[in-house]
Each structure stands twice: as C-alpha cells, then as structure tokens.
Amino acid sequence: MPAGWKPARYFFLFPFYFLLGVFAVPTARAEEVRTVKAPPTNAVNEFYVSNREPLLPSAFIKLPIGSIVPRGWLRKQLELEAQGMTGRLAEVSGWLKFEDSAWASPQGQGKNGWEELPYWLKGYGDLGYVLQDETIIKAARKWIDAVLSSQEADGWFGPRANKTGLKGRPDLWPHMVMLNVLQSFHEYSGDERVVPLMLKYHQWLNSLPPEDFGNGYWPKIRFGDNVETAYWLYNRTGEKWLLDLTRKIHDNMAKWHSGVINWHNVNLAQGFREPGVFFLQAKDPKLLEQAELNYRTVMDMYGQFPGGGFVGDENCRPGFIDPRGALETCGWVEFMHSFEMLTKISGNPLWADRCEEIAFNSFPAALTPDLKALHYLTSANLVQCDKNNKAPGVQNGGTMFSFSPGAVYRCCQHNVSHGWPYYAEELWLATPDKGLCASLYAASEVRSKAGDGTTVKITEETDYPFSETISFKVSTPKPVRFPLYLRIPRWCQKPALKVNGQEVVRTAGVSPAEPEAGGTPAVRSAGGTPAALAGPLSYAVVDREWKDGDGLELRLPMALSVRTWAKNKNSVSVDYGPLSFALKIGEKWRRYGGSEQWPELELFPDTPWNYGLVLDEKDPAKSFTLSRKAVAAQPFTPDAAPLELQAKARRIPGWQQDGTGLVGKLRPSPVKSAEPEETVTLIPMGCARLRIASFPVIGAGPDAQEWAAAAGAGVRASASHCFGNDTVDALNDGLLPASSGDRNIPRLTWWDHQGTAEWVQYDFPAPREVASSEVYWFDDTGHGDCRVPQSWKLLYKDVNEWKPAENPSEYGTKLDSFNRVTFKPVKTSAVRLEVQLKPNVSGGILEWRVSDK
Ligand SMILES: [Zn+2]
C-alpha cells in the first residue's frame, strides 16, 4: 500500500479495490496456466499438415513457410545473408553457373551435378521465402523450374551422371538435398508440380534393390534425410508404399540405431538423429532415446567445452578433444537443423535449447560480420585465423580458418545458406491441440490458425538472448480460445509471466512443478507466496480465451554461472542464460586475396589472449561484473557486444601458440602465475571470432601447477611420411603412453611404408643446445604391422648439413618405455631421428623428447 494512505481513505476506496481485483483475476485464472514437459499428442491440428497414421503424431507441427516474419537481430542476419555471400554466391562460386549446370539442363547433362547447387538452393530459396524477397524467389525459381522439368519417364530427375555415380549404381545423396529444396518450395508456393514429381521419384527409389540404400559413403550415412522427406510426402498423399520404402531405407542404410557408427563431423551432425526420425514409424521409444544417446556419446567424448559443438575438424580423432579443435561450418548448420527436427518430433525443449546454444554462441562466429565470407572451422579457443596449414593440429592441411567468400571451402560456402532461414522458420510451431508454441525466442510476428480456426497474429518483441524479457501481443478478429506454449529453458530456474499486466504466480503449497506430458495443473494465480512459474525444461501453457490486444510478458531471468570441464584439464567457461562468454581479443583483419568486393581475409590477435581467470573461490559466479548496452542491428561483433563481463585474470607466459599458429593446448588447472592481476573483458562467444572460451583457472595453492613453456612450443615437427589417421603432432604433444601398444593417444606412424628408411624432425625457433634424446616406440603386435625399427640414429643440423650425433650412448628399441640416448652436446637449429624399418613391417612413435641435459 502506498505510504501516506489514511485508513479512512483506504476504507473509502476498498469497494473499488475489491472490484479491480475481481476483474483482474479472470485474466489469469488458476486453470489458465499449467506446465507440461511436452504438448499432448492425443488431438489433431487439422489446420496444418500433421503426421498421418500409422505414423506417430509429432509434438509440434511446422507452420507453412511465410507464417513467421522474423524481426530484430535475426532479421538482420537474414538481410546480411541476402546482401552477402549466400544472396550473391553465383558471383563467386563456379558450381552455380546456370548455363553449364547439370541441375539446370533438361536432360540433366553438363557439369556440376553434385551437392553444391542443392546445398546452396536449399537455404537460398528459404531465405527468399522468409524475407519475402522477390528477387531471390525469382532467381531460386529459375533453378527449381529447371529441376521440375527434368523428370524422365522412370521417375529420375536432375543430373544423369548421378544415376550411375557409384560404380554404375545411383549416387542418391545430392538428390536428398534437392528434395529439401522442393519441400520448402511447395510449402511456400503450393506449386502443383512438386508433389507428383516427388512421388514419381520415390516410386523409382522404391523400385531399387534394397542394397542400393547401403551404397556409397555419403548416401548410406545420410539416408535419414530421405526418410524425413518421404514422411513429408506421405503426410501429404497418404501413399502407403512410401512407408515400405522408408523401412527399406532404414534397414539398409548405416545403422545409427546401433550407436555412433561414423565419426565424420557432418555425418554425425545429421546422421545421429536418424533413429529419432524413424521412431515415428517404428514406435519404439528406444529409437528416440538412441538419438539422444548418440548425441551424448559424441559430446561426452569430443564436446567438452562451451558453444554446443564438438571437435570434429573433419573427423573426430582419438585424443583430439582440446577446445582448439573445431567443427566445420556444415557441422554447425546440420546440427541446428537436426535439433529443430527433434524438437518437433519429441517436444523435448532440450533440443531447442541446444539449437539456441549453437545459434547464439558458435554459428555467428563462422562468418564475417557482414556475412560475405566464412571459414571452414570454428573452435571455442581460437586466437588466429590465418590462411596457413594447421595440420595435424586440425585434421586437414591447407587453409581452414581464414575467411573466404568463394570456392575454397566448397561444401560450407553453399551449405551455410540454410542456417538462419531454417532457424527463422522454427521460431513458432503449431501444437496438436490447435495452439501455438514460442519454441525458439526471437523478435518476430507469426500468423497462424488456432483454436476454432481463427487466424491470429502474435507479435513477439524482445532482444533475447541479450535480454531476459519477451513480450507477446495477440491480435485476433474475435475472441478465441487456444493454448499458448512458452518454452522454459534448462538454465532458467525462476521464469515469471504477466498476463495483461497481472503477475501469474504459483501458490505456496501447490506441489512444485513436476510436469508431465498432457499437462499437470501446477500453477495458480490467486494470492499466496510467489513461486517459480514452471521448472526448467518445461512449457508454461497459457490456455485461455484470447482477445484482441491481450498481452503477455515472459521473464526468463538469467544468472551468471561457471562450468568446470574436468575432461579438458579443469578449464572453466562462463555462462549467462543461453550465452557463453569469451575473452574479448583485439582484431586485426588483413586481406590476402579475393577482390575488393569479395575479399579473402585473415584475422590476427591485436591484444594478449593467454589469460587464466582469477575466480572467487567460494562463489565463482561472483567473479564477474555485468554491463549492458543497446543491442545493435548486427550484435555479433566484439565492439557491438550487447553484454560485457569484467573479470580478474593473470597472464600465463607458458601458454603460447604452437608452430602452426594454433592456440597452445590447455594444461591442468589451477595454474600458477606470477604475472600481475588485470581486469579483462569477456563478451558473448557469438560476438568473438577470436576467442578464448575455455579458460585456465589461476591458483596459488599446493595443487596449482606451473605451465612452463611447452616442450613443443614453437618447435615444428615434421616427418618423411605420416599415415592419414595419425599425426606428426603426437611426437611432442606431451601425452605419455601406457605401453608401446597404447592405441588411445595420438601417434605418428609411417604406415603403410614398410621396410623403408624414414625420419622425423624437430626445427627449433632458435638454435639450442641438445645433449640427449628419448623416444617411445609404437608397436601394435596383435593388431597391426607396426614394430620397433631395425635400427636408428640421431642427426643434428650443422648449417645446411645433417651430421650424426657424436659419441652416442645407445640406440635402444625397448618396448613400453622411453629409449634414451646421450651424446656430445651440440648447439643446433634442428634434430632428426633417422630410422630403418624392419623388412615387411612399418613403425611409429608415440612420443619423442630432446633435452640439453
Ligand atoms: Zn562444409
């Protein structure tokens, strides 16, 4: 009660106050807000194409493209995409020349009939539909018309070469992508040619021998994509044979339902979900669980850092889990797309959380701020994006981190197109009980049929994830009752909701929300002690008669928290709601190629990056001070970062870039530092293309370790040969084997060279004294054909000549231990270990050290 009110006056006003209460309460009655884990699926939303029996119903139904108009920062990403690389990719990509593309000729002849064109068109078309950009729609249509007119009598369409692309058998992978293009085009336009063409093509697919679905590397791994398309087609046609086809595909393709069966990053990002998709047909809950299990298997092993990705810098490689490892841009967008699909199938809000995690923290950093160029790989710890070779620290040689608009990265430059458009299409979803769900939060407008079929518009206003508050306003031609689902993220403990300005609270005494699918009334609006509206990972459902102008305000309070990554040397990351933070590093951009219009760019650090955080031991989250500024149109740059954290840190002099420019690997925390304490700034990871997001922790206690300059710091390792799955980096990675047969840590092998003379070499950044060397041989007797060598010796570089070390003690070939040799000390710029392999076998090294002692 406002101070100064006199009892008499209060008494006088009481009847009005009472009346106000009576009229205010019905706007948020007890039964209006409930909390559920997922929408019930025992009703059918006949306004939109839902799963047709015998498929299981999905928890959410996609709205037709065009129903959702994105606003705010998301719209800006789409506009930049339209003006940038995706919108104008035909100017810089040789794969998109209409005149000589096999996708554009009526007979499917010509060049370039593989994945690139459909990859690009898949997002380019949707970009046009989402932005309602007529120029893009027209340009996409030219390609789509060509594809739609290319069908042959037997049902095949598009490039003829693919029909016999796998040793005479069809290469079906590029078609899976083109089918996605056609799905979106049909959703947008309703074009009557699409469904008959797709049906006829699927009839042709259905006529193939079953083993064709297990052919080739890419098709057999990615055939889950076609299963999803066939369900889309089945839901629109009811042609039952499509479900025979999907079963045949599932039975013959790679068996993702048996676990992670392939470790290529893009295959993983799209393949892992296949059992979750086929679950709709097989109805075995274990299949849906397997998608989750596949995800966790990968993330538990290779995703031990913030940002939502994993180390799969082409393939996941045993031992490569440090956050300097990276995920390919194709991997980011396919992972997001998989999460969007699984959100709809399962209704589990965790998948939407995971999608936001990548969208806010990782995907923006894969592109330049103007979206005119991208790089192949994005890491959580990345301090330099130059064009030079970083292998074997990352798997591929050549340019992987510099930003390029053109053909350098081939797949990614085309496939990146669908990242933001698909995201924008999934902000809002329809529910089986004829309601709507705000699934991914972003400023937007949605028009949808709901309740009795009235078309309602909901305007969502927010700066989320840079703000905690999301406002919704309902426009409707007449009052209409429908449930509105609001996703409560995993990190949000105390969401709060106002309906028409009235706070919705749960009365103390009502059992805490343990929501169940189908809805457990657990929230009351009347009086009592305010409690959390709904628990994390649930939906608050506002089920009421909506009137024109009704407003909702959802608050998702964010809290600072610190995560410790035990599997990555006890490093820590800092989170605030869905955002993870990275050190703000000064950026120095340098053009190295391309044109004025389409520059190729390197990015170098302009400020120090080798900091460990000084944390409040009792309450690490208290170590930071948060400040905010207005959200810029393009918030994903260091200077525009809408949120900043001030933190205390000390530099770690022993933490340096390696000889290839990659950030040095993390070593155990806590780490000692005698450097002065400084205040550093952290910004959202998505704003930071140069970033340290997995931090060492500074400590002073007995458990704190010194990070001496790494043994391998600045040292360049090379070899006469290294097997593709192994790495020269293993020589001085500091990972010590349990035995000579240890296959769990990285190694160098000369496989498949057998009986040959081979070498490994260290080049030092400056001449240094060397007096001994230790080598730990790899020997996989019982598994393979690597053995200790027949003989070996150590050489040093004398100006330009290799000379044998003088007075060597012993060149040993013992198993399961280091073989140490001492010799007359020498100052040199490089040493080389020369090996003669035994006849008919190969050999390898697990670790190699040199010392001045
Ligand atoms: Zn790619």
Side-chain angles (χ1 to χ4, degrees):
M1 185 190 311
W5 274 30
K6 294 191 168 70
R9 203 172 165 200
Y10 174 62
F11 182 74
F12 171 73
L13 283 169
F14 181 74
F16 297 97
Y17 184 74
F18 177 73
L19 279 175
L20 275 174
V22 166
F23 286 117
V25 166
T27 64
R29 286 194 314 267
E31 67 272 27
E32 285 170 357
V33 179
R34 58 180 186 267
T35 167
V36 298
K37 275 190 173 166
T41 54
N42 53 5
V44 180
N45 184 329
E46 63 262 27
F47 311 134
Y48 300 109
V49 182
S50 307
N51 288 353
R52 197 186 270 260
E53 287 184 341
L55 295 181
L56 287 174
S58 284
F60 292 115
I61 303 141
K62 187 168 183 260
L63 290 168
I65 302 175
S67 308
I68 301 164
V69 179
R71 303 269 186 235
W73 66 260
L74 178 57
R75 183 171 199 86
K76 185 67 179 178
Q77 305 312 303
L78 293 158
E79 288 171 354
L80 288 169
E81 187 177 338
Q83 294 149 16
M85 190 176 60
T86 296
R88 296 167 57 189
L89 195 62
E91 293 175 29
V92 282
S93 165
W95 280 276
L96 309 185
K97 302 272 175 259
F98 195 83
E99 296 69 36
D100 58 7
S101 171
W103 285 105
S105 82
Q107 287 79 36
Q109 275 152 354
K111 299 190 295 181
N112 301 331
W114 210 52
E115 67 183 7
E116 292 80 10
L117 181 273
Y119 257 167
W120 166 73
L121 194 54
K122 174 171 159 177
Y124 179 74
D126 285 54
L127 180 63
Y129 314 144
V130 168
L131 286 178
Q132 320 218 333
D133 180 320
E134 289 305 324
T135 311
I136 293 179
I137 293 169
K138 197 173 156 209
R141 178 107 190 205
K142 186 178 168 193
W143 287 97
I144 292 167
D145 283 340
V147 169
L148 287 174
S149 60
S150 72
Q151 194 157 40
E152 300 179 11
D154 64 356
W156 179 264
F157 70 94
R160 278 231 181 112
N162 293 344
K163 203 171 178 180
T164 50
L166 294 172
K167 296 179 184 152
R169 301 307 304 162
D171 179 358
L172 300 168
W173 157 241
H175 273 61
M176 296 181 213
V177 188
M178 186 53 85
L179 291 170
N180 292 155
V181 174
L182 298 178
Q183 283 169 255
S184 288
F185 176 62
H186 185 268
E187 283 181 29
Y188 171 72
S189 69
D191 191 292
E192 287 173 0
R193 295 168 297 170
V194 174
V195 168
L197 174 131
M198 287 174 68
L199 266 184
K200 207 169 166 190
Y201 172 69
H202 280 77
Q203 269 162 350
W204 176 82
L205 277 181
N206 201 29
S207 73
L208 294 175
E211 56 269 23
D212 276 353
F213 304 114
N215 270 345
Y217 179 62
W218 309 112
K220 81 169 171 216
I221 300 268
R222 299 177 176 182
F223 239 119
D225 287 29
N226 208 145
V227 171
E228 190 268 341
T229 299
Y231 291 161
W232 182 94
L233 198 53
Y234 171 69
N235 291 334
R236 280 159 179 78
T237 64
E239 295 285 348
K240 286 246 162 45
W241 55 266
L242 283 163
L243 302 184
D244 301 333
L245 170 64
T246 48
R247 185 166 288 280
K248 215 173 347 174
I249 292 174
H250 173 80
D251 288 347
N252 289 279
M253 67 173 285
K255 302 201 178 316
W256 288 101
H257 54 276
S258 68
V260 175
I261 43 84
N262 183 279
W263 292 93
H264 181 272
N265 81 93
V266 190
N267 288 343
L268 267 171
Q270 63 194 108
F272 88 94
R273 68 167 189 257
E274 190 276 340
V277 175
F278 191 67
F279 155 73
L280 292 173
Q281 179 172 358
K283 305 182 182 180
D284 179 354
K286 281 210 182 76
L287 287 170
L288 187 56
E289 283 161 28
Q290 188 63 48
E292 171 72 21
L293 214 59
N294 287 347
Y295 171 85
R296 287 200 190 173
T297 301
V298 177
M299 297 303 282
D300 284 351
M301 290 172 76
Y302 294 103
Q304 296 296 305
F305 44 80
F310 58 92
V311 179
D313 37 44
E314 201 63 37
N315 298 280
C316 298
R317 293 176 292 162
F320 287 82
I321 64 162
D322 187 276
R324 75 180 191 162
L327 190 65
E328 183 185 332
T329 300
C330 286
W332 294 117
V333 293
E334 295 292 352
F335 230 11
M336 285 167 66
H337 184 35
S338 293
F339 300 165
E340 288 153 4
M341 233 182 255
L342 289 166
T343 300
K344 292 196 288 282
I345 291 171
S346 70
N348 185 347
L350 185 55
W351 291 114
D353 274 20
R354 289 167 176 165
C355 191
E356 287 191 345
E357 186 178 18
I358 291 178
F360 304 153
N361 297 301
S362 296
F363 182 46
L367 295 125
T368 51
D370 59 7
L371 276 71
K372 284 180 75 176
L374 57 69
H375 53 189
Y376 195 74
L377 296 178
T378 305
S379 323
N381 281 2
L382 178 59
V383 300
Q384 187 168 307
C385 299
D386 66 280
K387 66 179 178 353
N388 297 323
N389 183 21
K390 307 260 176 289
V394 294
Q395 189 172 12
N396 292 317
T399 293
M400 290 286 122
F401 289 99
S402 59
F403 293 88
S404 169
V408 187
Y409 301 128
R410 194 164 162 173
C411 53
C412 298
Q413 261 126 352
H414 299 86
N415 195 21
V416 71
S417 61
H418 66 80
W420 289 127
Y422 278 16
Y423 191 83
E425 289 168 25
E426 304 273 340
L427 299 180
W428 289 89
L429 299 168
T431 60
D433 53 358
K434 302 186 183 66
L436 279 167
C437 175
S439 178
L440 303 166
Y441 292 114
S444 58
E445 271 175 32
V446 59
R447 273 187 185 73
S448 169
K449 286 186 177 167
D452 61 6
T454 304
T455 298
V456 299
K457 182 178 93 170
I458 302 179
T459 309
E460 179 177 352
E461 279 182 23
T462 183
D463 284 329
Y464 181 90
F466 307 112
S467 137
E468 303 173 324
T469 306
I470 304 158
S471 304
F472 302 90
K473 194 174 166 211
V474 177
S475 308
T476 175
K478 68 179 183 68
V480 53
R481 185 180 182 101
F482 65 90
L484 178 61
Y485 288 73
L486 303 167
R487 183 182 120 255
I488 309 300
R490 57 184 154 184
W491 45 262
C492 187
Q493 300 300 322
K494 287 192 176 164
L497 180 66
K498 282 183 189 166
V499 178
N500 289 332
Q502 172 103 3
E503 191 86 27
V504 174
V505 293
R506 199 174 69 214
T507 320
V510 173
S511 61
E514 181 41 57
E516 288 165 16
T520 305
V523 179
R524 299 283 186 269
S525 63
T529 312
L533 172 76
L537 288 180
S538 68
Y539 298 91
V541 190
V542 190
D543 193 350
R544 69 195 302 272
E545 187 178 79
W546 296 95
K547 295 187 181 64
D548 192 47
D550 277 350
L552 274 181
E553 191 185 283
L554 175 67
R555 242 173 64 76
L556 299 173
M558 301 180 185
L560 281 163
S561 62
V562 172
R563 267 186 290 178
T564 299
W565 300 90
K567 290 180 185 168
N568 258 323
K569 315 280 185 192
N570 286 328
S571 55
V572 295
S573 61
V574 185
D575 303 314
Y576 184 67
L579 299 172
S580 296
F581 279 75
L583 180 73
K584 182 177 182 179
I585 299 172
E587 291 182 340
K588 199 163 60 186
W589 291 89
R590 191 183 80 86
R591 178 180 157 197
Y592 69 93
S595 62
E596 196 69 33
Q597 174 76 317
W598 295 105
E600 292 185 302
L601 299 164
E602 295 182 308
L603 177 55
F604 296 91
D606 207 20
T607 53
W609 56 265
N610 56 348
Y611 287 99
L613 292 178
V614 178
L615 294 178
D616 180 326
E617 279 179 28
K618 288 201 188 87
D619 188 353
K622 287 218 171 102
S623 316
F624 311 95
T625 317
L626 176 77
S627 59
R628 295 173 183 274
K629 60 182 171 207
V631 179
Q634 164 55 304
F636 295 112
T637 75
D639 291 334
L643 303 179
E644 281 190 357
L645 298 179
Q646 304 294 310
K648 296 273 184 286
R650 290 178 196 268
R651 293 185 67 181
I652 302 168
W655 192 22
Q656 296 293 338
Q657 288 170 264
D658 75 7
T660 68
L662 281 175
V663 57
K665 285 185 202 166
L666 294 169
R667 282 170 274 162
S669 282
V671 47
K672 276 185 197 164
S673 171
E675 299 294 308
E677 190 171 289
E678 298 175 49
T679 299
V680 295
T681 301
L682 313 189
I683 55 176
M685 272 179 89
C687 306
R689 283 158 192 81
L690 299 179
R691 62 242 299 259
I692 295 293
S694 284
F695 289 92
V697 182
I698 301 296
D703 56 339
Q705 302 189 22
E706 194 104 37
W707 286 14
V715 174
R716 210 177 90 74
S718 55
S720 53
H721 171 72
C722 179
F723 178 53
N725 288 358
D726 297 329
T727 166
V728 181
D729 194 39
L731 291 173
N732 58 351
D733 62 5
L735 295 171
L736 300 187
S739 71
S740 286
D742 190 338
R743 294 183 299 145
N744 294 319
I745 64 164
R747 60 181 179 251
L748 168 133
T749 71
W750 292 287
W751 183 257
D752 53 351
H753 295 191
Q754 297 171 53
T756 45
E758 304 289 343
W759 53 262
V760 292
Q761 181 176 324
Y762 284 154
D763 285 274
F764 306 125
R768 56 171 283 193
E769 193 165 273
V770 183
S772 73
S773 166
E774 293 182 307
V775 59
Y776 204 118
W777 300 111
F778 177 66
D779 184 311
D780 60 356
T781 301
H783 289 282
D785 286 326
C786 286
R787 302 289 180 272
V788 296
Q790 185 161 301
S791 64
W792 65 283
K793 62 186 172 191
L794 198 98
L795 309 174
Y796 68 92
K797 203 169 199 179
D798 183 13
V799 195
N800 285 321
E801 198 183 336
W802 289 106
K803 291 185 173 167
E806 290 176 42
N807 304 325
S809 56
E810 184 198 4
Y811 289 121
T813 54
K814 281 195 307 279
L815 289 173
D816 306 330
S817 68
F818 276 105
N819 290 274
R820 180 179 162 89
V821 57
T822 57
F823 41 84
K824 186 180 159 192
V826 62
K827 196 165 187 182
T828 179
S829 63
V831 289
R832 181 178 270 200
L833 200 154
E834 239 176 40
V835 162
Q836 175 59 50
L837 298 173
K838 288 179 179 168
N840 306 318
V841 293
S842 192
I845 293 176
L846 289 159
E847 192 75 11
W848 177 34
R849 300 161 166 172
V850 291
S851 168
D852 58 356
K853 296 187 181 71

